[in-house]
Amino acid sequence: MRRNRNTSLDTIVTDFLLLGLAHPPNLRTFLFLVFFLIYILTQLGNLLILLTVWADPKLHARPMYILLGVLSFLDMWLSSVIVPRIVLNFTPASKAIPFGGCVAQLYFFHFLGSTQCFLYTLMAYDRYLAICQPLRYPVLMNGKLCTILVAGAWVAGSIHGSIQATLTFRLPYCGPKEVDYFFCDIPAVLRLACADTTINELVTFVDIGVVAASCFLLILLSYANIVHAILKIRTADGRRRAFSTCGSHLTVVTVYYVPCIFIYLRAGSKSPFDGAVAVFYTVVTPLLNPLIYTLRNQEVKSALKRLRVGRGNVDGDK
């Protein structure tokens, strides 16, 4: 995509205007309350998961639930990067975001989002080892190795976010500054650049495509082996428990990857559905994750009951 603007390059953009989500004016208050409530519930739900994993000895000693706790932590921060700005856009407050704030928002969104992508892959690998290599699982996936893998996911995510932010904001921005989106993301910001963005779009497509496709392929490969192993289990109860353990993760992976593919792997798209799809994986998915894991995971539900009973006993002793 080539940019031929008559605007002088001396006019340097120092801030952007986030136009937010298109909505009827009479629904502004209602949407403000909806997104504000979603944000509060997201924080509380993920905090509950995080505290449950930390407080229950049966959970925080197991790699699967260490990864779940890290996922909840990521969801809390990812939601905080995006949702408060959406809520602000439903108020009379200024829609302006400083240039540096836009850079930070884009960096943290892609940093946290790609880290989450790597984490889903680690969770699939953990389930593969637990089901396909049960006797060797304690050796192949112990707490130390789990910590190293999680640290590697954070480092890789930081590198990915840095690459995307650097490539996006190395371009000159000298003309219109209205970002037709609800946060600073690559496709929306690149439309405002006063330079050729072809290379950026190609790198974005390849970089995000390689990360997403590689992780998704590894997840599919893990679950292909898992399904093969589960079908060999002789008892129906054993198969049910194995499928139940993996079902939550598969559900979360699906609601995360499908919208991301829709947004980023269609270079130059200006579909009116992009905003709605982006709201789903930036706002709704972090809210759904704790619900999916608590409603479908029997061990998490049991841990919550133990904490509630323990709390009731403490209060009774007082």
Side-chain angles (χ1 to χ4, degrees):
M1 183 186 300
R2 299 198 172 271
R3 305 290 184 191
N4 295 310
R5 300 193 187 280
N6 296 323
T7 307
S8 170
L9 291 178
D10 293 333
T11 308
I12 303 300
V13 171
T14 58
D15 61 3
F16 293 98
L17 294 177
L18 292 175
L19 300 185
L21 296 169
H23 62 280
N26 60 324
L27 291 181
R28 177 171 296 180
T29 302
F30 172 75
L31 291 173
F32 169 87
L33 294 174
V34 167
F35 280 95
F36 181 75
L37 182 61
I38 287 176
Y39 178 69
I40 296 300
L41 292 177
T42 298
Q43 298 302 306
L44 292 177
N46 283 289
L47 182 61
L48 179 62
I49 295 292
L50 195 60
L51 292 177
T52 302
V53 172
W54 175 78
D56 193 292
K58 293 184 178 181
L59 296 187
H60 70 233
R62 297 176 58 184
M64 173 183 176
Y65 294 103
I66 294 174
L67 296 174
L68 177 57
V70 175
L71 177 63
S72 293
F73 182 77
L74 283 170
D75 278 334
M76 291 175 69
W77 280 101
L78 185 62
S79 177
S80 296
V81 168
I82 304 298
V83 184
R85 192 72 215 188
I86 299 177
V87 172
L88 191 64
N89 281 337
F90 293 122
T91 70
S94 172
K95 298 180 182 295
I97 180 172
F99 189 91
C102 193
V103 175
Q105 189 179 50
L106 188 145
Y107 164 74
F108 280 108
F109 173 71
H110 284 275
F111 163 38
L112 296 170
S114 57
T115 302
Q116 203 168 56
C117 184
F118 298 133
L119 190 69
Y120 286 140
T121 309
L122 293 179
M123 294 174 80
Y125 178 63
D126 173 77
R127 291 300 83 208
Y128 161 74
L129 292 178
I131 294 174
C132 299
Q133 306 282 342
L135 298 179
R136 301 178 60 199
Y137 177 75
V139 177
L140 295 174
M141 181 60 83
N142 53 49
K144 182 179 180 181
L145 178 60
C146 182
T147 302
I148 293 173
L149 291 175
V150 169
W154 281 92
V155 171
S158 179
I159 293 172
H160 173 81
S162 298
I163 291 172
Q164 295 300 332
T166 301
L167 286 176
T168 301
F169 291 100
R170 71 178 178 83
L171 298 173
Y173 292 89
C174 54
K177 59 181 183 178
E178 293 84 8
V179 179
D180 190 14
Y181 214 49
F182 58 93
F183 72 103
C184 290
D185 198 14
I186 297 170
V189 173
L190 285 182
R191 296 187 195 115
L192 305 180
C194 303
D196 185 4
T197 61
T198 304
I199 298 299
N200 288 72
E201 292 174 359
L202 179 61
V203 171
T204 298
F205 179 84
V206 172
D207 184 22
I208 295 179
V210 166
V211 169
S214 299
C215 290
F216 195 55
L217 183 62
L218 289 172
I219 291 171
L220 289 179
L221 185 61
S222 296
Y223 275 98
N225 284 282
I226 288 171
V227 170
H228 181 69
I230 289 176
L231 293 177
K232 291 183 178 180
I233 298 176
R234 295 182 179 180
T235 64
D237 184 62
R239 289 194 296 269
R240 182 189 58 79
R241 290 176 60 187
F243 274 120
S244 176
T245 302
C246 301
S248 300
H249 183 242
L250 274 177
T251 304
V252 169
V253 167
T254 301
V255 299
Y256 178 81
Y257 272 99
V258 172
C260 285
I261 291 171
F262 183 85
I263 294 290
Y264 294 106
L265 300 190
R266 300 173 305 120
S269 170
K270 295 183 180 180
S271 171
F273 296 106
D274 286 356
V277 173
V279 166
F280 186 82
Y281 77 88
T282 58
V283 179
V284 179
T285 299
L287 172 66
L288 291 178
N289 283 353
L291 293 175
I292 291 170
Y293 278 106
T294 53
L295 293 177
R296 293 183 60 89
N297 191 299
Q298 187 60 45
E299 290 181 299
V300 173
K301 288 191 287 187
S302 298
L304 288 170
K305 290 179 181 177
R306 287 194 296 271
L307 288 178
R308 187 166 63 247
V309 170
R311 180 64 182 172
N313 291 337
V314 171
D315 292 339
D317 293 339
K318 291 180 180 180

